[in-house]
Amino acid sequence: MAGNQTPKARVGVLALQGDFREHAALLRSIGADVVLVRRPEELDSVSGLVIPGGESTVMDKLGHIFGLAEPIRARIRAGMPVFGTCAGLIMLADEILDAAAGQQTLGALDITVRRNAFGSQQASFEVALEVPSFDGAPVVAVFIRAPIVERVGPDVEVLAALADGRIVAVAQGPIMGTSFHPEMNGEPRFHRRFLDTVAAAHASE
Amino acid sequence: MTENTAAAQVGSTRVKRGFAEMLKGGVIMDVVNAEQAKIAEDAGAVAVMALERVPADIRAQGGVARMSDPDLIDGIRETVSIPVMAKARIGHFVEAQVLEALDVDYIDESEVLSPADYVNHIDKWAFTIPFVCGATNLGEALRRINEGAAMIRSKGEAGTGDVSEATKHIRQIKGEINALAAMSRDELYVAAKELQAPYELVLEVATTGKLPVVLFTAGGVATPADAAMMMQLGADGVFVGSGIFKSGNPAQRAAAIVKAVTFYEDAKVIADASRGLGEAMVGINVSDLAAPHRLSERGW
């Protein structure tokens, strides 16, 4: 909520599977120039990337089949800002517990996540979540077969935790991830923070 | 697991419908045992539908088709990490209670099984677990949503490998949505009467130009091109039943259909995915089916 003018660098939403349209719509509603990313050449055109909610095993497989996984890793190493929600957080983590056989990660966040940590869909829930770095009301956070962050490295900033202390939102440099889905109910503050990060990275290039 | 977070709310409409949003752009595959479930997961299914017989076998063998044995469902749940759905008979609220107790992720109140009630569908608001229901037209979809369905799938004609009914139903639903969106406000009252659907839902569809829940397509999808056509016609994703495990090479066909659903607008990818898949399921032309054997006419 820096209140500055919305930056205009182009950002991508990984569109292999999941709720990528909701991310794209939310980003556009706060003034971003958005493209859907399914191919390496589309990745080349963006200054930041959102990895949506969905099924992480499917996105991982399709990312490898269609040659996106390595280019995304290379861009992350080169400093590209990335924001992942739910499945996106899983894909960004260094380590996954309860992963599917052969599931790989992008290794962008020095954290360990547990996939599907709350149990089946019947344990999925929504809750008012305090995010100390945000002004205003708590975030209405929707957790859908969500992961939690079980370990954070020394350089990782914890953005939010549940009342019992379990970590559900983190950032490390230009990378941010949430266990829940701000895109689902039009919560713009995480996406604004992401766009600010993209603008800063873009300006320093 | 949410007892420590005081205000946490399970089973809300947003949580139920939101889960279906996560399945979008994906393929949900019918499986009858743990081995098939593993093949489906490895091929990139976003979820599996656990059932005792695929629709093609229900059709061939006849008899009453019911909810699956809990052991079968447990075996599948233990094998895969992706979501597991299971089918209850139309109106059979106790089968639904059992499936909820088994802790599956989603219930399909399905016309593929033999209906248990020819008047009432299940009151789906009474459950924490979300439901998907079939529909052949917009009015039917809105009646199911009014009963609490958190996801709709167009019915098609299950177990045939003939995509024509799936095409008809998705076109019907999309066409009726477009017609509503073009109406003036004062026409919506009569539209609601004609659709036999609640006015509030009709108004919502007319205003937003879409269903308030995710819309998948099912029933007769057998090839990558079938699946991509459903996506181009506006489906959010695809259910594939008999089409995979009644074909010559299920693993390869399953992976090919997943690719075609992601790249549904790219004919080159669909062409590559369609190569060398071996035999598709044999199939039955829907026009050869006598009316009593058409599953899509179950439910109302």
Side-chain angles (χ1 to χ4, degrees):
Chain A
M1 296 287 273
N4 52 351
Q5 280 303 303
T6 308
K8 248 333 192 181
R10 173 177 285 187
V11 294
V13 180
L14 188 66
L16 296 172
Q17 190 268 319
D19 70 338
F20 50 84
R21 284 191 201 90
E22 282 66 25
H23 276 286
L26 179 50
L27 286 164
R28 287 188 184 113
S29 78
I30 56 174
D33 177 13
V34 185
V35 292
L36 298 181
V37 172
R38 294 189 177 91
R39 298 174 178 79
E41 55 272 28
E42 289 157 350
L43 180 68
D44 292 342
S45 75
V46 301
S47 304
L49 184 68
V50 170
I51 305 180
E55 179 48 54
S56 62
T57 58
V58 176
M59 285 192 239
D60 175 47
K61 285 189 182 86
L62 290 168
H64 283 96
I65 293 169
F66 291 99
L68 264 174
E70 263 321 308
I72 292 174
R73 274 198 198 99
R75 290 294 305 277
I76 288 172
R77 279 196 298 272
M80 175 178 70
V82 184
F83 172 31
T85 63
C86 195
L89 170 69
I90 294 171
M91 294 180 71
L92 289 169
D94 269 350
E95 189 187 4
I96 311 174
L97 304 175
D98 294 339
Q103 186 171 1
Q104 296 178 35
T105 83
L106 299 166
L109 285 168
D110 181 12
I111 61 171
T112 301
V113 295
R114 184 174 297 280
R115 189 164 156 249
N116 196 12
F118 296 91
S120 81
Q121 167 61 16
Q122 291 180 62
S124 293
F125 64 99
E126 57 178 273
V127 70
L129 183 72
E130 288 293 342
V131 182
S133 58
F134 288 168
D135 297 329
V139 168
V140 175
V142 187
F143 293 80
I144 306 281
R145 282 174 51 98
I148 55 173
V149 180
E150 294 207 343
R151 178 195 65 83
V152 295
D155 298 329
V156 175
E157 177 191 359
V158 174
L159 298 177
L162 294 173
D164 61 10
R166 285 183 290 181
I167 297 167
V168 292
V170 295
Q172 181 179 10
I175 312 293
M176 175 168 62
T178 63
S179 299
F180 51 90
H181 295 280
E183 76 281 7
M184 196 180 278
N185 48 321
E187 162 59 58
R189 288 171 285 183
F190 290 97
H191 290 77
R192 280 210 188 98
R193 180 184 156 128
F194 165 70
L195 291 181
D196 288 345
T197 309
V198 172
H202 199 62
S204 68
E205 268 171 18
Chain B
M1 289 298 281
T2 56
E3 65 278 5
N4 296 328
T5 48
Q9 192 191 353
V10 297
S12 66
T13 299
R14 187 148 52 196
V15 164
K16 287 175 171 176
R17 293 180 180 178
F19 177 44
E21 302 280 346
M22 298 308 131
L23 303 174
K24 285 190 300 192
V27 184
I28 300 170
M29 301 181 193
D30 278 2
V31 298
V32 301
N33 56 43
E35 186 194 357
Q36 289 186 355
K38 185 81 184 105
I39 291 170
E41 182 177 55
D42 289 346
V46 283
V48 290
M49 177 73 71
L51 71 177
E52 215 138 276
R53 295 182 286 171
V54 294
D57 288 335
I58 292 174
R59 206 175 267 297
Q61 295 161 9
V64 174
R66 308 179 179 90
M67 177 189 80
S68 298
D69 187 316
D71 282 344
L72 181 143
I73 293 169
D74 284 350
I76 289 168
R77 284 191 64 232
E78 285 157 16
T79 304
V80 296
S81 64
I82 56 176
V84 176
M85 300 182 165
K87 287 183 193 287
R89 283 180 268 178
I90 288 174
H92 205 314
F93 52 88
V94 174
E95 283 189 350
Q97 291 164 7
V98 170
L99 292 173
E100 186 170 58
L102 291 174
D103 209 18
V104 299
D105 294 294
Y106 233 90
I107 295 175
D108 183 1
E109 186 182 18
S110 178
E111 71 283 357
V112 167
L113 306 183
S114 308
D117 186 331
Y118 279 93
V119 178
N120 305 292
H121 282 69
I122 297 169
D123 172 13
K124 293 163 276 286
W125 298 113
F127 292 79
T128 302
I129 190 170
F131 284 74
V132 55
C133 288
T136 59
N137 57 53
L138 180 59
E140 194 177 358
L142 294 180
R143 288 192 291 280
R144 296 296 87 75
I145 293 167
N146 191 46
E147 295 157 1
M151 177 178 184
I152 294 292
R153 55 173 174 73
S154 62
K155 285 180 181 171
E157 190 55 46
T160 59
D162 179 348
V163 80
S164 63
E165 290 291 290
T167 306
K168 183 162 101 188
H169 297 156
I170 191 80
R171 279 192 188 275
Q172 176 76 25
I173 292 169
K174 285 284 175 181
E176 288 177 303
I177 290 172
N178 291 340
L180 275 191
M183 281 181 195
S184 63
R185 198 65 186 250
D186 60 352
E187 294 171 317
L188 296 177
Y189 299 101
V190 171
K193 187 191 79 175
E194 287 172 352
L195 288 167
Q196 299 177 50
Y199 171 75
E200 291 69 27
L201 284 173
V202 169
L203 176 63
E204 184 177 353
V205 171
T207 307
T208 61
K210 63 189 194 62
L211 285 184
V213 302
V214 165
L215 172 65
F216 269 48
T217 292
V221 174
T223 69
D226 287 350
M229 182 164 83
M230 295 303 115
M231 297 299 288
Q232 288 196 24
L233 288 172
D236 291 319
V238 177
F239 284 83
V240 185
S242 321
I244 289 172
F245 289 99
K246 286 288 165 188
S247 74
N249 188 342
Q252 199 186 344
R253 182 168 296 266
I257 291 174
V258 169
K259 284 182 210 168
V261 165
T262 295
F263 290 89
Y264 66 91
E265 291 175 314
D266 188 331
K268 281 191 181 135
V269 173
I270 300 164
D272 280 340
S274 304
R275 284 177 208 280
L277 294 181
E279 250 176 87
M281 70 178 284
V282 177
I284 308 166
N285 290 305
V286 173
S287 55
D288 296 339
L289 280 176
H293 300 293
R294 293 188 189 168
L295 305 177
S296 63
E297 292 172 13
R298 295 170 169 176
W300 36 90

